[in-house]
Amino acid sequence: MGHREQLMTGAKRCLQERGYARTTSRDIAAAANNAPVGTINYHYGSKEALLNAALLETLMEWGTAIVDRPVGAEGGAPETLERMWARIIGSEATDRPMLVASTEAFAQAERAPEIREQIAAAYERARPEMAAHLHGIDAADDPDTARAVGSVHMALVAGLTQQWLIDPDHAPSAHDVAVGLRVIARRLEEDAGSAPTAD
């Protein structure tokens, strides 16, 4: 394993153990089998760029593990989505350090355009992927719908994560999320049906 791979592994370990804001270049170098500190800039440009890459890769791995079955598997769409929310909630305990690190990185994005651009690009890639994986919506056929559906799922993941990080005793269960979504969907349909039509 070369320095580049060692640095990525070390950065991931530091995110888990120290968090985004408290990790220094020396911490990463030490965790990367005592790689020279200068190799961080050589391979990644900066400590922040390396941490961002490590965090985004970790989040992508987490997302793949959470959203690992297409809708319709094992009993139909509603059950599959509810199982997905249950996996997200379960990960709040097992993957808490990574989720806290991601929150720290998002806070840094306000004053660091490069972090914001990297996170925004990752979001934009993930939106149609979630729509395709969870609902079979092909972005090539219907890009607006794919983006809208993916955006809603991403908003739910982010909101659910924040609630569980801040107040796990009162955060919603997977069943709560499913019930809420069904009620909201029903109300939206009712509102659309009662909307006045143009003459």
Side-chain angles (χ1 to χ4, degrees):
M1 183 185 295
H3 282 151
R4 184 178 179 85
E5 293 78 17
Q6 289 176 337
L7 289 168
M8 177 60 72
T9 300
K12 288 180 178 179
R13 186 179 310 144
C14 287
L15 286 171
Q16 290 283 335
E17 295 174 357
R18 300 182 63 81
Y20 189 97
R22 295 183 59 206
T23 294
T24 67
S25 295
R26 290 187 184 280
D27 293 330
I28 296 171
N33 294 329
N34 293 310
V37 173
T39 58
I40 294 174
N41 287 348
Y42 178 78
H43 288 291
Y44 290 94
S46 69
K47 177 198 78 171
E48 290 74 20
L50 170 55
L51 285 175
N52 296 343
L55 179 61
L56 291 174
E57 189 171 301
T58 302
L59 287 172
M60 291 300 291
E61 292 166 356
W62 176 77
T64 299
I66 294 298
V67 187
D68 64 351
R69 291 190 294 273
V71 162
E74 302 177 20
E79 294 78 10
T80 301
L81 289 174
E82 193 164 334
R83 281 195 304 273
M84 183 188 75
W85 298 123
R87 290 194 297 274
I88 291 172
I89 290 168
S91 77
E92 305 299 337
T94 59
D95 299 310
R96 184 179 179 88
M98 180 271 296
L99 296 171
V100 170
S102 69
T103 301
E104 291 175 335
F106 296 160
Q108 301 291 325
E110 180 65 23
R111 292 177 179 82
E114 68 280 3
I115 298 176
R116 178 180 292 183
E117 289 169 10
Q118 286 180 310
I119 294 172
Y123 274 13
E124 195 62 16
R125 287 192 303 273
R127 288 181 179 106
E129 290 173 3
M130 290 191 80
H133 195 74
L134 292 171
H135 300 283
I137 300 170
D138 189 343
D141 296 333
D142 193 349
D144 292 339
T145 298
R147 191 174 192 284
V149 169
S151 294
V152 169
H153 275 294
M154 290 182 69
L156 287 168
V157 170
L160 194 56
T161 298
Q162 291 297 316
Q163 290 185 63
W164 273 88
L165 287 177
I166 297 300
D167 188 11
D169 291 337
H170 300 98
S173 66
H175 178 70
D176 293 334
V177 174
V179 169
L181 287 173
R182 291 187 188 105
V183 171
I184 291 168
R186 190 163 55 246
R187 293 289 174 88
L188 286 171
E189 287 297 320
E190 291 171 359
D191 291 347
S194 63
T197 57
D199 292 333

